[in-house]
Amino acid sequence: MLGNVNLNYRRIGLQAAFWLVMLLLLMSILLNFVNLSNTNQLSAYDDDWNDMSAFRQDIKDMGIQTSSLVSSPLLLADIEDPRNTTYILAGVERDTLSLPQFDSDGFITIAAEDGYSPSEIEAIVEFVDAGGTALVLEDYGFAGSIAQAYGVRYTGYQLYDTTYVQELDYNYVWMCVQATPCGMNGSIIDPETISVHERWSGSNGEGAHPCSLMNGQTMPLEDAGLCAQHWKNGEIQYNATYQLLLNNITALELIPGVDGALNEVSIRAVTSNEATVDVNGDGEIWVGNEQTAETPDLWGQFNLSIEACARKSCDPNEGGRIVFMADGSALINAIYDYEGFNDPENPLYGSNDCVTSNEKCIPENDNRKWAKDFIAEALMSTVPGEEGQPAENAMVIFDESRHPQNALFADSYNTIYFLLVYFTGEGLAMLLLFLVLFITFEAVLIKKRDPEPWRHVFSIIYYGFGDANRYTYYAKTDKIRQVFLSKVRNQNGLSREEFHAMPARELVSLINDPVLAKFAIEPTKYSLEQTVAVVKRIKAWGRT
Amino acid sequence: MWTRKASFTFTGGIALILIGMMIANLQMMILGISFIAFIVVNSWISGHGDVEVQRTLSADNLYKGDDLYVELLVTNRSNRNTQLLEVYDNIPHEMKLRSGLNQMRLNLRPGESARIRYVLRCPLRGHYSIGPVSLRSRNTFNLGVDEMYVDHHSDIVIFPQIKEVEEAFLRSRTPKMYTGATTLRTPGQGSEFYSLREYVPGDPFKNINWKAFARTGELMVNEKCRDAVTDLYILLDSRDIARIGTVLKNPLEMGTVSAASLAAFFLKRRDSVALAIFDDNLSYLPPDTGDKQYFKILSALAGVSPKGAMPLQAVTNSLSGRFSRGSPVFIISSCEGDGTVPAAVRDLVGRGHEVTVLSPSSIDFERLVSRIPRMSYEVLKLERQNRLTTLAGSGAMVIDWMPDMDLSQALMQVRGY
């Protein structure tokens, strides 16, 4: 019973082929989202020179909790305290999974471009509306759709400026976070052109940086808290000048006529007036008064950083804010922690030209100061008496969902997690999931059977049948005649030859029955009743 | 394997988790996780089927219609409890459970044993096998079921029924036939001394008469008289056409019963009996006497199944050379669908054999399962009568055996048509 396993090799072969094809299809889909090469960068959880581990470590040292978001920004909707949360998105290296969803008009769409789906963008916008702070560091990646939600556009073309670091190359550009552009004096930034952060300095009357409010306060370093980067000689000496070093940058534009999700949009940093943009990407700059086929590239002043706030003061208590920067690598370890990168004694991020030959060293910059001030403004406690200290629920979330992972399984995990979030956060997907759950329940109800109770069944019902077709044949007159003649022959002990040679008259006398004799000799037609009568007569014949 | 309950619990757990995530309801998610955890934890507490099984039968060979007493001893040879273990002894569906049950639900402690006893009735002859023993273990909350079996088989042979045959019924036109055990004055296997002859290479040493050797100086051997008086040959028709009728009443079943009964009768009289079964080929048991031959014949008859269409003349042509001169031959056949029967019978009679044709009336067996129009039936019967008359005319004794007729009753009608 149980031991009789008949292997159906054809079926097994078909099954194997089917699942092989399914596996190949699955692999081909997954490989679109799984980057097996070790080229991931801009991750706060990796410590290569192009990752952001130093920034994350500084945040942790500030006493602020950090966490990563590996599936989808849809989870931002579940943040309990957006006011004290900062969402950092650095370098969107890959696109989103294009899955169907409802758009704002209630139609089904498939998000097919620019890194984030409409639902995810909506989640980010709602997070910022709820008082959250967001920092988007991007250049040529897939964060364009987020910027567009705030009326900002990443041009996606490489930008060159005269304010570049000559010791390095033209890809390293200085960005002064101030209203006016800064200029160069030889190989350094001209101090005459350096100004202060327009808002943080308090020069426009509101929105001053909280550390600026502590300026001049005497305190030990331990009490400086989130303003420790301004602590000097036993007191807070707030300085609102920021010269940020950027690498391989692009430009930002305000989209004309588009009202973003936040009303107060301000440009925080611009290039010099001699900056150029390589529109056709040929590595050469050809500019003219007009953009033509011969002079396809652009020149002039371009935006490098834009800030959008709910209120002009950008007070986190009055609404959220989002800052866009035209470079995804502004906070990478090599630039952010340039001292550790350049240190020939103890290079923290591996060997480089600066360490080995004291060439191409990353110059001193304010990236760390700016980043810390950004975090300080967003997450400093507003409770009286806790000035300088992080808020109780302060948290920084790094968006790792668009960074390829080193390990295949980590990436697969992220993809699965993304799908889980998608199916439990997106309207259409939820509908689909309900349907699948319903069908699954139905399938279990219909298909799943408990093993049948064992019961012995006594069964010997078996019949052997003869050939039913012959019944009509045996009712035919000719067959009856043949049977009758055989009977006559047997009764008289004649051989076939003798019988066949017998004259008709002799046969009639042998039969000795006029009816049967006529039946035997004359091939006339008989009705059913006559045939029945004849058969009865044949049966009785010869008994006497 | 998961039960339906487990599948529902699991699906429900997943659904609760997902819906809980959708509507951000932590309690619902916890409930879903609890369901999943319940299944996971429950899967650790499973039973097992590591048991030893021993089956005892009241007999290895039975006659059709007899009862078989079966006892199954199940012992837990593991060092943990079996949990809820269902034990089911697989028995052929041709056997009827007369009393007791062939299954039991047990929970055996380590080393503990349990016995299952039941009685089977065996209404059909044949070779059967009881087993394997199926086991089904369930875990505590009936969430998982594992099925396995112990490959333990007991073979059993069900012989055809033996009907009582009275000697008076087997009278023939030749008065000396079937007279019982008298010593034949011909050399052969036996116990009584017949004569002395010179030794020829190949003679067994135990037959050498050492006294005669001492006296004459030449090796002499003792020859014995043949004990058996008659070599009886039974030819059983097991062609496919013999299946017509019900499973219990068909020409083949009646044929096996009659062959077994005749063999039993003649072997009891110390005659030699040979059996030839022809279906798609011919199987032949040479004549012999004794219990061993009896067992061989019954075993052969137990395994007979209808198949093939070998003509009788092919059988007689093949075997007639081996038949002892003048020995009686029983042909058990419906004589349907074989035009060679008259010629074969004629040939046997011509060789001096006393031929008896025991012919189950296949058209009447067919009538048990099929609605034959009256007139067709009458004509078919007439044709059959003609066929039997022809056989009788060839010198055979013919018995037209009706389905409701007992064997001894049928044998009474031995007659020449």
Side-chain angles (χ1 to χ4, degrees):
Chain A
M1 190 170 121
L2 293 168
N4 294 338
V5 181
N6 295 319
L7 291 177
N8 187 337
Y9 291 105
R10 196 172 171 183
R11 186 170 177 275
I12 292 170
L14 275 172
Q15 286 273 328
F18 172 77
W19 289 113
L20 187 67
V21 170
M22 289 295 288
L23 189 68
L24 286 174
L25 282 172
L26 186 68
M27 288 299 288
S28 63
I29 292 168
L30 280 179
L31 284 174
N32 287 327
F33 303 100
V34 177
N35 188 351
L36 289 174
S37 62
N38 189 16
T39 57
N40 63 316
Q41 54 180 350
L42 303 170
S43 169
Y45 291 84
D46 214 346
D47 56 2
D48 289 335
W49 65 272
N50 55 0
D51 290 309
M52 305 198 306
S53 56
F55 176 44
R56 178 168 160 264
Q57 188 58 47
D58 279 352
I59 294 170
K60 287 173 74 175
D61 292 344
M62 288 168 153
I64 296 169
Q65 182 191 348
T66 61
S67 71
S68 65
L69 198 157
V70 295
S71 57
S72 166
L74 285 170
L75 289 178
L76 289 175
D78 298 332
I79 299 290
E80 289 181 0
D81 186 9
R83 158 65 185 85
N84 290 313
T85 304
T86 297
Y87 168 67
I88 294 178
L89 194 166
V92 182
E93 294 177 88
R94 65 179 184 189
D95 204 348
T96 183
L97 282 170
S98 294
L99 296 168
Q101 52 210 295
F102 287 123
D103 65 8
S104 54
D105 299 323
F107 293 108
I108 295 171
T109 61
I110 294 178
E113 56 184 2
D114 272 0
Y116 289 90
S117 70
S119 303
E120 290 172 324
I121 292 165
E122 196 180 324
I124 293 170
V125 168
E126 283 177 2
F127 165 76
V128 173
D129 285 348
T133 302
L135 173 61
V136 180
L137 304 169
E138 178 58 303
D139 36 40
Y140 313 107
F142 296 96
S145 52
I146 301 176
Q148 281 178 21
Y150 291 93
V152 177
R153 180 191 296 140
Y154 281 90
T155 63
Y157 309 129
Q158 182 158 7
L159 186 145
Y160 302 99
D161 197 1
T162 52
T163 56
Y164 70 93
V165 183
Q166 292 175 2
E167 296 85 1
L168 297 173
D169 59 49
Y170 50 79
N171 288 314
Y172 288 86
V173 179
W174 287 109
M175 178 183 84
C176 300
V177 187
Q178 57 194 42
T180 54
C182 53
M184 297 295 286
N185 182 6
S187 61
I188 60 164
I189 296 175
D190 185 356
E192 297 296 320
T193 62
I194 292 175
S195 178
V196 292
H197 192 293
E198 192 178 7
R199 182 169 65 80
W200 282 353
S201 64
S203 57
N204 58 359
E206 54 186 342
H209 194 277
C211 290
S212 73
L213 303 177
M214 298 168 66
N215 196 27
Q217 289 184 17
T218 307
M219 61 183 71
L221 179 62
E222 298 79 48
D223 293 345
L226 301 186
C227 296
Q229 64 275 19
H230 296 289
W231 187 87
K232 203 172 184 182
N233 300 327
E235 63 175 10
I236 300 293
Q237 297 179 6
Y238 179 72
N239 180 359
T241 61
Y242 300 94
Q243 291 92 51
L244 270 65
L245 183 60
L246 308 181
N247 175 245
N248 264 327
I249 61 173
T250 185
L252 291 169
E253 293 174 347
L254 288 172
I255 304 171
V258 173
D259 289 330
L262 296 174
N263 298 328
E264 298 295 331
V265 180
S266 310
I267 294 165
R268 292 289 170 229
V270 293
T271 64
S272 70
N273 293 325
E274 290 87 33
T276 54
V277 169
D278 184 11
V279 174
N280 59 0
D282 61 356
E284 296 179 357
I285 301 297
W286 295 93
V287 293
N289 291 331
E290 288 183 2
Q291 195 178 17
T292 63
E294 286 76 30
T295 57
D297 303 320
L298 299 171
W299 68 282
Q301 191 179 69
F302 299 93
N303 305 319
L304 293 178
S305 178
I306 293 175
E307 183 180 52
C309 302
R311 299 282 180 275
K312 193 178 178 186
S313 63
C314 280
D315 185 347
N317 291 324
E318 296 176 353
R321 68 185 171 117
I322 184 166
V323 173
F324 296 97
M325 198 174 284
D327 179 22
S329 57
L331 301 181
I332 60 171
N333 292 331
I335 298 173
Y336 181 88
D337 185 16
Y338 60 89
E339 289 158 319
F341 181 77
N342 295 340
D343 188 356
E345 303 297 323
N346 183 24
L348 293 178
Y349 310 106
S351 181
N352 54 67
D353 287 345
C354 181
V355 171
T356 55
S357 55
N358 200 25
E359 290 176 354
K360 296 196 173 182
C361 294
I362 301 296
E364 184 181 350
N365 57 67
D366 293 331
N367 292 35
R368 172 173 265 166
K369 187 176 84 170
W370 177 86
K372 284 185 167 183
D373 281 349
F374 179 83
I375 297 296
E377 184 188 30
L379 301 177
M380 190 180 287
S381 174
T382 55
V383 177
E386 290 184 2
E387 292 82 4
Q389 299 308 310
E392 189 184 354
N393 300 324
M395 180 167 64
V396 173
I397 297 174
F398 290 95
D399 189 342
E400 298 285 318
S401 66
R402 301 303 193 269
H403 288 159
Q405 304 296 315
N406 284 338
L408 170 67
F409 290 114
D411 235 354
S412 303
Y413 166 76
N414 285 358
T415 307
I416 290 166
Y417 197 17
F418 170 82
L419 290 173
L420 186 65
V421 171
Y422 167 75
F423 277 104
T424 54
E426 176 63 49
L428 180 66
M430 283 162 70
L431 199 67
L432 201 69
L433 187 61
F434 265 119
L435 198 69
V436 169
L437 287 174
F438 179 76
I439 292 170
T440 309
F441 262 111
E442 285 293 312
V444 170
L445 196 69
I446 295 167
K447 287 286 177 186
K448 187 66 187 173
R449 291 268 174 263
D450 280 342
E452 290 289 326
W454 281 321
R455 190 165 62 93
H456 172 64
V457 179
F458 169 63
S459 165
I460 55 168
I461 302 166
Y462 150 75
Y463 296 101
F465 294 95
D467 180 11
N469 293 326
R470 74 190 201 280
Y471 299 157
T472 50
Y473 173 64
Y474 274 88
K476 286 183 177 172
T477 316
D478 289 345
K479 182 63 186 174
I480 297 169
R481 185 177 292 117
Q482 184 200 334
V483 171
F484 173 57
L485 291 174
S486 294
K487 187 172 183 179
V488 173
R489 182 172 63 79
N490 281 337
Q491 289 265 338
N492 291 281
L494 298 169
S495 70
R496 287 181 190 277
E497 293 75 25
E498 289 169 337
F499 191 70
H500 287 147
M502 184 184 288
R505 185 171 300 172
E506 201 174 329
L507 179 62
V508 170
S509 67
L510 272 181
I511 292 172
N512 198 22
D513 183 325
V515 177
L516 291 178
K518 189 180 174 192
F519 174 73
I521 292 170
E522 293 179 17
T524 49
K525 276 199 168 183
Y526 286 83
S527 67
L528 182 63
E529 291 76 18
Q530 287 172 322
T531 315
V532 170
V534 166
V535 169
K536 280 183 180 170
R537 223 175 172 95
I538 293 170
K539 209 175 154 190
W541 183 84
R543 283 186 182 167
T544 53
Chain B
M1 188 182 74
W2 279 2
T3 60
R4 204 176 195 205
K5 191 201 283 183
S7 304
F8 265 118
T9 311
F10 183 77
T11 317
I14 295 288
L16 283 172
I17 291 170
L18 292 174
I19 294 169
M21 287 174 78
M22 282 181 205
I23 61 173
N25 187 321
L26 197 62
Q27 286 88 345
M28 198 176 268
M29 288 169 67
I30 289 171
L31 188 65
I33 290 168
S34 306
F35 278 16
I36 305 289
F38 178 63
I39 287 183
V40 172
V41 171
N42 208 264
S43 66
W44 297 336
I45 319 164
S46 60
H48 69 88
D50 186 14
V51 293
E52 190 178 317
V53 169
Q54 202 175 349
R55 188 186 296 104
T56 313
L57 302 180
S58 60
D60 293 333
N61 307 308
L62 288 169
Y63 290 100
K64 180 176 153 182
D66 286 356
D67 288 344
L68 176 69
Y69 292 80
V70 185
E71 182 179 283
L72 199 70
L73 178 67
V74 185
T75 308
N76 179 9
R77 59 184 178 189
S78 166
N79 54 5
R80 60 193 179 102
N81 283 16
T82 58
Q83 302 289 339
L84 185 59
L85 181 70
E86 278 181 71
V87 181
Y88 178 81
D89 201 9
N90 287 281
I91 53 180
H93 63 84
E94 293 91 349
M95 292 184 178
K96 190 174 185 179
L97 205 55
R98 192 154 176 268
S99 66
L101 273 176
N102 59 331
Q103 59 180 303
M104 193 181 271
R105 291 186 177 192
L106 310 163
N107 187 358
L108 297 174
R109 287 191 293 273
E112 195 181 10
S113 299
R115 287 173 200 275
I116 302 172
R117 293 190 185 92
Y118 58 93
V119 182
L120 292 172
R121 174 151 290 179
C122 313
L124 281 182
R125 65 174 173 82
H127 295 266
Y128 297 101
S129 179
I130 299 179
V133 178
S134 297
L135 304 170
R136 186 184 278 166
S137 74
R138 297 173 187 268
N139 59 11
T140 316
F141 291 96
N142 192 23
L143 292 175
V145 175
D146 281 328
E147 288 191 357
M148 61 219 90
Y149 64 88
V150 180
D151 200 11
H152 179 63
H153 292 265
S154 303
D155 294 329
I156 183 165
V157 183
I158 311 295
F159 296 144
Q161 248 173 343
I162 304 294
K163 299 279 187 184
E164 206 58 45
V165 177
E166 289 184 34
E167 192 162 356
F169 299 154
L170 291 172
R171 290 177 190 274
S172 79
R173 291 176 298 185
T174 312
K176 283 186 179 175
M177 276 193 66
Y178 317 131
T179 50
T182 53
T183 306
L184 292 177
R185 302 305 298 171
T186 53
Q189 294 293 326
S191 53
E192 202 173 317
F193 179 76
Y194 177 67
S195 70
L196 271 178
R197 66 167 171 81
E198 286 186 2
Y199 172 84
V200 290
D203 282 339
F205 283 130
K206 68 176 182 180
N207 290 351
I208 294 175
N209 188 325
W210 297 105
K211 284 183 181 172
F213 172 61
R215 197 168 56 243
T216 62
E218 288 196 9
L219 276 176
M220 303 293 281
V221 291
N222 294 330
E223 278 199 316
K224 305 278 175 64
C225 284
R226 269 186 65 192
D227 274 347
V229 291
T230 308
D231 285 344
L232 178 80
Y233 294 87
I234 300 173
L235 310 183
L236 176 66
D237 176 3
S238 174
R239 293 173 301 140
D240 195 45
I241 204 164
R243 72 166 68 236
I244 291 175
T246 69
V247 69
L248 291 171
K249 273 194 173 183
N250 58 61
L252 181 61
E253 280 305 309
M254 294 185 74
T256 53
V257 169
S258 56
S261 304
L262 288 170
F265 175 78
F266 285 104
L267 286 171
K268 202 172 174 184
R269 289 189 352 175
R270 298 180 66 202
D271 289 333
S272 290
V273 177
L275 175 69
I277 299 168
F278 58 102
D279 34 50
D280 55 352
N281 54 32
L282 174 65
S283 56
Y284 177 62
L285 270 175
D288 205 347
T289 56
D291 290 343
K292 199 173 172 184
Q293 177 74 347
Y294 179 58
F295 182 79
K296 280 183 186 174
I297 289 173
L298 290 182
S299 295
L301 290 172
V304 166
S305 62
K307 55 183 182 289
M310 179 178 272
L312 181 64
Q313 196 160 31
V315 178
T316 53
N317 287 347
S318 167
L319 294 179
S320 60
R322 300 195 214 176
F323 288 176
S324 308
R325 186 178 297 172
S327 57
V329 177
F330 263 89
I331 299 172
I332 303 169
S333 168
S334 66
C335 302
E336 288 276 349
D338 183 5
T340 68
V341 176
V345 170
R346 208 178 301 127
D347 181 46
L348 287 173
V349 171
R351 285 170 180 264
H353 295 289
E354 193 76 23
V355 179
T356 305
V357 178
L358 182 56
S359 179
S361 176
S362 60
I363 188 67
D364 288 293
F365 285 107
E366 188 173 348
R367 215 176 173 200
L368 298 173
V369 293
S370 187
R371 192 173 164 276
I372 307 174
R374 182 74 198 179
M375 193 164 66
S376 303
Y377 170 73
E378 294 295 351
V379 178
L380 281 160
K381 284 288 282 184
L382 278 170
E383 192 179 51
R384 177 175 161 77
Q385 293 297 332
N386 287 344
R387 199 178 299 130
L388 297 184
T389 308
T390 308
L391 295 180
S394 304
M397 287 178 288
V398 180
I399 302 168
D400 187 11
W401 192 5
M402 301 302 283
D404 52 355
M405 199 182 280
D406 200 46
L407 175 64
S408 53
Q409 203 181 345
L411 289 173
M412 280 179 74
Q413 354 163 37
V414 174
R415 62 187 173 99
Y417 276 79

